[in-house]
């Protein structure tokens, strides 16, 4: 049965013209035979023809009925309706453009944001069974020591794997310039645990994960392309890292990164080879990653690990405090989840506003076309046919809007990736998501259908003659108008929520801008200078190199001061070391105070314009062999020497049982540390000239310093001459991360700026859409009451009264919208308080000013049509009535 | 046209099938034949005849082709298909059952 039906459908569609001709011929042949029959019965030819024509009736109607029963009739009619709809839409370009724009904005923005959320939050991480991967946390941080890691690994039964990684910076030689690369040292079992396979070559074998074995390295895809031109022959060849040959054993696939929340710039991996420090329980430099044993839950594994750690804490007091596991997925995206959900919520509000707007426009259009519809109904168009046609018009509109939305979404997504603050993991993998396109398309289609059909139903239900008589003031307008006022109120309410959100982000951003990092950010440029693998790294030459470098940089034109620091505030690492204050009782192991550890050359405080509130800076005499000195920040001074001058007091960073005392010579102002606007923490500054660690110790972390240079004028202008000066001194030294302090600050406030930008643009679009909506409703309302206004003015009402009448109506609706919007905002902004700084989620000033802005918009949007009404000639208005 | 409207469709189908069981006919001949056998009770107008014919053709009960009428006019002839014959049998049986049921209902 299916096949002949399909065939018939095909015939009807393809041979439509033939069918039409056939039908036409059939009807005419019938009429001719009827006429013949009547002539035979004796009627005159003329009369016979007339009667035959009457009997066949509206030949068109007969044909239409026949078409309706034909298979495929529906499809054919839809095609006809679609063509008709396109023509009708083209006749009102203003309406069409506005509706398409509103739909495209809603669909485009929603799709783009949802695609980001999908890529970052919803899609599983690209490892085998990613839900079974977890990260070990040790007193709130991800850093663990080798001995603890090995103990956990030996004892845990709920984990099938526990692998380690350690941050690694290395200098790649062999090119024109030594290049500083970020890498990760990994235990040999890490990559197999993740279930990743290399693109070329192989992973590390267990024999390579031992000290003294031949040095092996895995290249990242980008590095392989950039430095080796994607040469497949690279596998098995040696490359020069920190001056030593490493054999490339493989290349990782494109886009591979691990872990996706830390050291994400890593471009190469080498074996960790822990063995010689496997007894070290102090240095917490490793990150530990676990895989749950088959059948084990995260909670079980966490409980077991806590029990193991508790046993170890008894054996080694001060260690193994608060050891827990968190799902890898949670660690990777936990910090951006809130922001992304807030954005998703905001953008769906925007979609709702856009839909409400389109609904307005469709309702207004239907009202304006009531006369046309009534006329067509009177001329014999079936109700179903009219309905179908209006419906098609809405659908065509929604489809065009949807198509434009897809284009907009693609563009918006590219823009989002370009301006994102770089803390959204996997953002670069975001692509337009078909499922979200389907959802947004359905929402816009539903809008088109709901608001294209309601007025169509009303129009078709009416008595055509009544509607024709009443003309534009169709009797259904009252109900339609109530609906439109409800739409206007909800649009205003939704826009208000978005505006409050954006307003709170603006206040946050202003507060962040006003935050004082404690040092001058406008005149300083910084660069990481890494000696690793260079001639200058040799302990006897290292100090000489730093001295000579600073002298050369200070001699550059435009440079006021220069210094070095181990970890630059905001950009560099934050290392915290335990310390002990002379004269205080000894703390239990692991219970003592800790401070951020800074190692600086003389002149650092002057270079950063970071004031010393007491005492002095380090001098050239504070060198090895002289008495140990230290500068503490205000937090340390206030905690340990409140109301007393700390200068001359002593602390030690060593074991308090065998202390090497350092005398406090100065107190520095509190400064921003790792995160912008985070609460200040205790900091200790040690002189580089006395630091055996930084002057003599071998190894990556200790053979680089950050050079900070204070410029007289524009710091960007001297950046390249600073780099040249370092390279003139020694070309084998790597200079990287050359940036002004303003760029560093901009980077650390990039996330709130990104959220502000997005929320702000959503709110702006929402405001425009809401204003257009109010304008539309009030224009319609004024048009409907033109007669009434005319009568009022003829009876002596002043323009002011009419204005008050119209604007009062708008104000009433706006008030309803504002009240519901404020209530909604109050409930919803609480959810985003995690994104705010320096402002409460229920900030009254923001709420009040947003409500005021929205009221103003509603008034202006009502004032425009009202002004038109009072300017119109009252007589003309009455006559048209 | 004397028959109540709601009875018309099913009845008209049955009447068309019955008319065509005599052999292929064109539209006007079908209308006249129905008028004749119902003694004028059903005056079938083109407005209902054509949609019915086309619907029945789509349903596969009828086939149609162009031919010459008695007075040399080109006319579209409809003929029963095998499915149409089966349909006539079923509908006749159905009709008999309904008629019987209604008759007994009215007598009771």
């Amino acid at each position: 049965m299916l096949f002949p039906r399909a065939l018939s459908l095909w015939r009807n569609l393809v041979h439509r013209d033939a069918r039409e001709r056939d039908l036409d011929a059939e009807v005419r042949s019938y009429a001719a035979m009827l006429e013949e029959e009547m002539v035979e019965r004796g009627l005159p030819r003329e009369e016979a023809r007339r009667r035959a024509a009457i009997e066949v009736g509206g030949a068109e109607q007969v044909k239409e009925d026949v078409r309706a029963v034909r298979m495929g009739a529906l499809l054919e009619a839809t095609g006809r309706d679609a063509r008709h709809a396109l023509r009708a839409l083209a006749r009102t370009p203003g309406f069409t453009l506005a509706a398409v724009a509103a739909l495209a904005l809603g669909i485009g923005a929603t799709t783009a944001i949802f695609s980001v959320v999908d890529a970052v939050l919803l899609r599983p991480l690209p490892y085998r069974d990613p839900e079974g991967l977890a990260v070990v946390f040790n007193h709130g941080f991800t850093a663990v020591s080798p001995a603890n890691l090995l103990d956990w690994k030996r004892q845990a039964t709920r984990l099938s794997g526990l692998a380690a990684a350690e941050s690694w910076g290395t200098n790649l030689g062999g090119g024109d310039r030594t290049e500083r690369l970020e890498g990760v040292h990994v235990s040999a079992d890490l990559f197999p645990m993740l279930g990743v396979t290399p693109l070329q070559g192989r992973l590390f074998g267990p024999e390579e994960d031992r000290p003294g074995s031949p040095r092996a390295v895995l290249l990242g895809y980008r590095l392989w392309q950039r430095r080796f031109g994607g040469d497949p022959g690279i596998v098995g060849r040696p490359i020069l890292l920190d001056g030593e040959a490493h054999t490339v054993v493989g290349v990782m696939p494109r886009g591979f990164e691990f872990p996706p929340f830390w050291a994400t710039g890593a471009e190469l991996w080498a074996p960790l080879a822990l063995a010689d420090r496997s007894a070290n329980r102090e240095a917490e430099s490793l990150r530990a990653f676990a895989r749950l044993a088959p059948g084990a839950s995260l909670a079980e594994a966490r409980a077991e690990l806590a029990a193991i750690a508790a046993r170890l804490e008894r054996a080694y007091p001060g260690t193994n405090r608060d050891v827990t596991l968190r799902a890898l997925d949670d660690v990777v995206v936990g910090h951006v989840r809130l922001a992304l959900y807030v954005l998703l919520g905001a953008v769906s509000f925007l979609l709702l506003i856009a839909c409400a707007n389109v609904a307005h426009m469709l309702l207004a259009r239907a009202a304006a076309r009531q006369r046309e519809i009534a006329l067509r109904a009177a001329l014999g168009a079936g109700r179903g046919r009219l309905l179908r046609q209006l419906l098609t018009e809405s659908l065509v509109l929604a489809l065009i809007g949807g198509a434009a939305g897809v284009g907009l979404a693609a563009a918006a997504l590219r823009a989002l990736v370009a301006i994102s603050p770089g803390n959204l993991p996997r953002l670069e993998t975001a692509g337009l998501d078909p499922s979200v396109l389907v959802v947004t398309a359905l929402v816009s289609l539903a809008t088109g259908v709901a608001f294209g059909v309601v007025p169509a139903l009303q129009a078709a239900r009416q008595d055509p003659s009544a509607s024709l008589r009443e003309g534009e003031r169709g009797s259904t307008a009252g109900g339609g108008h109530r609906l439109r006022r409800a739409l206007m109120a909800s649009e205003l309410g939704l826009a208000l929520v978005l505006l409050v959100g954006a307003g709170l982000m603006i206040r946050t951003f202003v507060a962040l801008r006003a935050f004082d990092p404690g040092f001058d950010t406008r005149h300083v440029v910084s660069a990481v200078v890494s000696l690793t693998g260079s001639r200058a790294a040799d302990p006897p030459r290292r100090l000489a190199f730093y001295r000579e470098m600073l002298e050369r940089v200070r001699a550059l034109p435009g440079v006021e001061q220069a210094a070095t620091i181990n970890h630059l505030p905001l950009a560099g690492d934050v290392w915290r070391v335990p310390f002990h204050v002379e004269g205080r009782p000894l703390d239990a192991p692991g219970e003592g105070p800790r401070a951020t550890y800074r190692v600086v050359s003389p002149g650092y405080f002057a270079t950063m314009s970071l004031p010393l509130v007491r005492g002095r800076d380090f001098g050239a005499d504070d060198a090895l062999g002289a008495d140990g000195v230290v500068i503490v920040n205000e937090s340390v001074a206030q905690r340990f020497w409140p109301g007393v001058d700390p200068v001359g007091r002593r602390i030690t960073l060593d074991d308090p049982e065998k202390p090497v005392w350092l005398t406090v010579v100065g107190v520095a102002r509190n400064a921003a540390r790792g995160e912008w606007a985070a609460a200040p923490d205790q900091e200790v500054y040690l002189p580089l000239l006395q630091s055996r660690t930084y002057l003599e110790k071998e190894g990556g972390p200790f053979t680089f310093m950050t050079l900070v240079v204070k410029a007289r004028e524009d710091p960007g202008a001297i950046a390249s001459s600073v780099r040249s000066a370092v390279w003139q001194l020694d070309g084998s030294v790597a200079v990287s991360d050359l940036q002004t302090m303003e760029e560093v600050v901009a980077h650390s406030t990039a996330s709130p700026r990104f959220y502000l930008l997005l929320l702000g643009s959503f709110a702006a679009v929402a405001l425009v859409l809401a204003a257009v909506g109010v304008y539309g409703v009030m224009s319609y309302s004024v048009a409907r009451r033109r007669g009434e206004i005319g009568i009022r003015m003829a009876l002596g009402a002043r323009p002011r009264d009419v204005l008050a009448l119209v604007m009062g109506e708008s104000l009433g609706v706006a008030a309803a919208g504002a009240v519901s919007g404020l209530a909604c905002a109050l409930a919803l902004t609480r959810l985003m308080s995690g994104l705010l700084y320096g402002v409460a989620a229920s900030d009254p000033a923001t709420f009040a000013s947003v409500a005021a802005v929205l009221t103003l918009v509603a008034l202006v949007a009502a004032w425009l049509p009202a002004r038109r009404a009072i300017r119109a000639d009252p007589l003309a208005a009455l006559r048209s009535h | 046209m004397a028959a109540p409207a709601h009875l018309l469709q099913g009845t008209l189908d049955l009447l068309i099938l019955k008319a065509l069981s005599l052999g292929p006919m064109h539209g006007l001949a079908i209308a006249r034949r129905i008028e004749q056998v119902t003694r004028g009770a059903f005056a079938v107008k083109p407005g209902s005849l054509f949609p019915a014919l086309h619907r029945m053709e789509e349903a596969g009960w009828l086939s149609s082709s162009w031919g010459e009428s008695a007075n040399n006019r080109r006319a579209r002839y409809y003929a029963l298909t095998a499915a149409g014959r089966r349909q006539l049998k079923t509908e006749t049986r159905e009709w008999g059952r309904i008629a019987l049921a209604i008759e007994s209902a009215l007598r009771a």
Side-chain angles (χ1 to χ4, degrees), chain A residues 15 64 71 86 120 199 225 264 322 435 609 803 821 840 855 879:
Chain A
H15 304 293
E64 176 79 353
M71 279 279 290
L86 280 174
V120 176
L199 184 68
Q225 291 292 329
T264 49
D322 181 21
S435 56
S609 309
L803 270 183
T855 311
R879 231 177 277 125

Side-chain angles (χ1 to χ4, degrees), chain A residues 101 121 134 184 209 287 420 454 487 590 626 676 804 833 842:
Chain A
L121 292 186
V184 178
D209 199 7
R287 261 66 172 180
S420 83
V454 173
L487 279 172
W676 185 256
S833 47
S842 58

Side-chain angles (χ1 to χ4, degrees), chain A residues 182 184 222 256-267 269 422 425:
Chain A
E182 215 184 310
V184 178
R222 254 178 316 159
F256 169 78
E257 63 171 11
F258 189 86
F261 62 90
W262 162 81
T264 49
E267 294 193 284
W269 297 268

Side-chain angles (χ1 to χ4, degrees), chain A residues 118-379:
Chain A
D118 181 54
V120 176
L121 292 186
L122 305 181
R123 221 180 295 152
L125 292 165
Y127 314 113
R128 176 167 43 83
D129 301 330
E131 59 282 359
L133 292 171
V135 184
V136 179
F137 274 72
N138 188 16
H139 56 80
F141 297 95
T142 53
V144 302
S145 68
N148 286 335
L149 175 92
L150 295 173
D151 280 339
W152 300 333
K153 186 173 177 164
R154 264 192 298 274
Q155 298 182 28
T157 60
R158 314 309 293 164
L159 299 178
S160 64
L162 187 63
E166 185 174 43
S167 167
W168 171 42
T170 183
N171 293 353
L172 173 62
D176 305 339
R177 284 285 171 212
T178 301
E179 187 182 358
R180 177 84 185 159
L181 295 177
E182 215 184 310
V184 178
H185 279 138
V186 296
S187 59
D189 50 352
L190 178 64
F191 288 171
M193 188 178 92
L194 300 178
V196 291
T197 47
L199 184 68
Q200 302 269 343
R202 58 171 177 87
L203 299 174
F204 303 122
E207 70 289 347
E208 279 161 331
D209 199 7
R210 291 189 199 113
S213 56
R215 291 170 185 269
V217 68
L218 273 164
L219 301 183
Y221 186 87
R222 254 178 316 159
L223 178 66
W224 179 51
Q225 291 292 329
R226 179 159 51 84
R227 282 294 293 255
F228 306 102
D231 173 15
I234 190 72
V235 175
R237 288 222 308 260
I239 60 171
L240 212 56
L241 293 173
D242 295 344
E244 282 186 62
H246 287 61
T247 306
V248 176
V249 298
V251 177
M252 291 309 283
R254 183 181 202 153
F256 169 78
E257 63 171 11
F258 189 86
F261 62 90
W262 162 81
T264 49
E267 294 193 284
L268 71 178
W269 297 268
L272 181 59
L274 264 185
D276 59 345
R277 16 179 201 142
S278 54
N280 190 334
R281 212 170 287 276
E282 310 302 321
E284 298 181 334
S285 61
L286 302 181
R287 261 66 172 180
F289 303 95
R291 177 169 290 283
L292 303 181
S297 74
L298 185 64
E300 283 166 15
R302 193 182 281 154
E304 190 198 38
L305 187 61
I308 296 170
R311 281 200 301 275
L312 288 170
E313 188 183 355
R314 281 194 293 280
Y316 310 100
T319 71
N320 281 280
R321 186 79 41 83
D322 181 21
V323 176
T324 188
L325 279 174
R326 273 174 68 194
L328 176 63
D329 175 70
D330 185 39
V331 177
V332 172
V333 296
H335 62 294
V336 292
R337 192 174 281 144
L338 170 67
L340 286 183
Y341 282 141
V342 166
L343 287 179
L344 194 60
V347 85
S348 26
F349 272 38
L350 188 63
L351 181 64
L352 286 180
I353 295 176
C355 286
N357 225 292
V358 173
H360 271 321
M361 294 191 231
L362 283 170
L363 285 174
R365 185 178 169 82
R369 287 174 67 188
Q370 239 163 29
R371 207 180 155 87
E372 176 203 332
I373 291 167
L375 190 66
R376 291 168 56 142
L379 291 180

Side-chain angles (χ1 to χ4, degrees), chain A residues 526-549:
Chain A
S526 70
V528 174
V529 178
S530 169
L531 312 185
T532 315
S534 77
R535 296 178 291 279
D538 294 343
R541 300 166 87 163
R542 219 183 280 175
L543 180 59
F545 173 82
Y546 286 136
R547 266 203 190 119
E548 176 74 16
M549 173 180 81

Side-chain angles (χ1 to χ4, degrees), chain A residues 1 8 12 22-23 25-27 29-30 32-34 36-37 40 55-56 62 65-66 69-71, chain B residues 26-28 31-32 45-47 49-51 54-55 57-59 66 69 71 73-76 78:
Chain A
M1 205 54 200
S8 160
N12 283 339
D22 231 32
L23 183 58
E26 188 177 1
V27 173
S29 132
Y30 185 97
M33 283 193 288
L34 199 59
E36 211 61 47
E37 194 185 71
E40 275 168 25
E55 185 165 342
V56 173
V62 172
D65 288 348
V66 170
V69 302
R70 282 283 177 191
M71 279 279 290
Chain B
H26 57 67
L28 184 62
R32 291 292 170 261
K45 297 291 182 204
L49 180 66
F50 280 114
H54 283 262
R55 189 183 59 245
E57 192 183 356
E58 286 301 332
W66 286 97
S69 75
N71 33 21
R73 279 201 173 273
R74 243 170 73 79
R76 200 165 179 86
Y78 289 86

